Amino acid sequence: MSGIAHHLVKRGIEHTQDRYRTGSFAQDGDNEPFGHPHAVAAALVITSLLWFFALSAVQYVYGGVVATLTMIENPTATAFKVDPAESDEADAPLLSNEEKKSAATEPELFYVKTKPITSKIRTTIRHLVAEAGPWARFRGLQVALAYHFIHHILLQVLTALFGGAMISQSLAAVVTAVVLCRLQMLWTHVVISTPSEKKWYRRFPAIDAGKKIILPTAVWALAEQATIYVPITLFMVFDLDEGYLQNPAAFNKLSPMQQKSVMLASFAVMMSGIATAVLILFPASVTLKRVQASLLPEENDSIVPFDRTFGGKVQPQVVGGTGVVSMLDAWKTFDWAARFRLVKLYAKIFAIQVSTTILFVLFAVFQVRMINGDYVLY
């Protein structure tokens, strides 16, 4: 969603710049140049920046922090013991103590599974604020900024070394993710743990822990690249790179059968991206986060209920275990209720991003009309 929105905003700004250079902003029935181009340009730039920060905040808080907590939370169960009456018989007062004890049944235990904290965005944010303060929703932001800054530089360097081919770019992205796997795991640990007195740069996972997530990180990075390049490859295979979106006239020149083929091919490309994201990237992302969470140091407590043993499948290193969950167990222990909860969260995030984008577009149109009065943009 954010990539599509970024493309649309970029096209809109370029279109506005072209109109400004050619003087195509005109009043109804008038061919005079647009009256307040500088004011409109400044308003659009400021609105675009506000939109970018708003969408980034939504993506980070909900798509990053809340989604990660949803991936690792294990709802707890509370046990209640019910002691039965000694006897339900009418003549119970006439029985001796031994007879009453023999008539009594064993105590019954009832387990009530508590509702997950991450079942709703609101309850998750409230829990974070209560446990870690008002800025807890942005926890790990410093680590994230450092990660993306280093990731951008390293990716540019590796891309220049490997070449500009599609396969080279994918390889550069995978290598970059693997090199920064410890920094990425640090972000996960900061997000899922209770507040610590240590600075984030003093909480780096050990090198041995980093070695254990190389494979899950590589699989996740490959899945991410597949989500990007599978639709692109099909786009080129179906000869959809003719610029029909940029040049509708070329599409209108096609025969009805050709137009139908283009629309079916476009639909197939879109569905391939969705299928790749759901069937490959979704499990890879969950698996990576849960493997990272299994390596959370013992001295750190999780901020949401979290089973470090993953249902008894992980044994600490102090007792001879590996201390890390396997990739298969990490996914299998993420039950269907949790999967549905995460999918529902992603659907809410998408709806929030679409709504935010629509509101900012309407606000931008309102600004243009307010600045220029009767002037219209066409």
Side-chain angles (χ1 to χ4, degrees), residues 84-120:
E86 292 183 345
S87 178
D88 295 331
E89 298 179 11
D91 57 350
L94 303 178
L95 298 176
S96 64
N97 291 332
E98 293 183 359
E99 290 174 333
K100 290 179 181 180
K101 290 180 181 180
S102 62
T105 59
E106 293 293 330
E108 297 184 16
L109 289 177
F110 293 91
Y111 291 91
V112 179
K113 199 170 185 179
T114 58
K115 191 175 183 179
I117 294 172
T118 56
S119 59
K120 294 182 179 179

Side-chain angles (χ1 to χ4, degrees), residues 44 47 64 78 81 83 156 160 172 182 194 240 246 250 268 286 289 315 325-326 333 343 350 361 373:
L44 291 178
T47 302
T78 304
K81 183 176 74 171
D83 294 321
Q156 295 300 318
R182 289 176 62 207
T194 54
L240 296 177
Q246 291 80 7
V286 172
K289 292 300 178 186
Q315 295 295 328
V325 68
S326 67
T333 54
V343 170
F350 179 77
V361 169

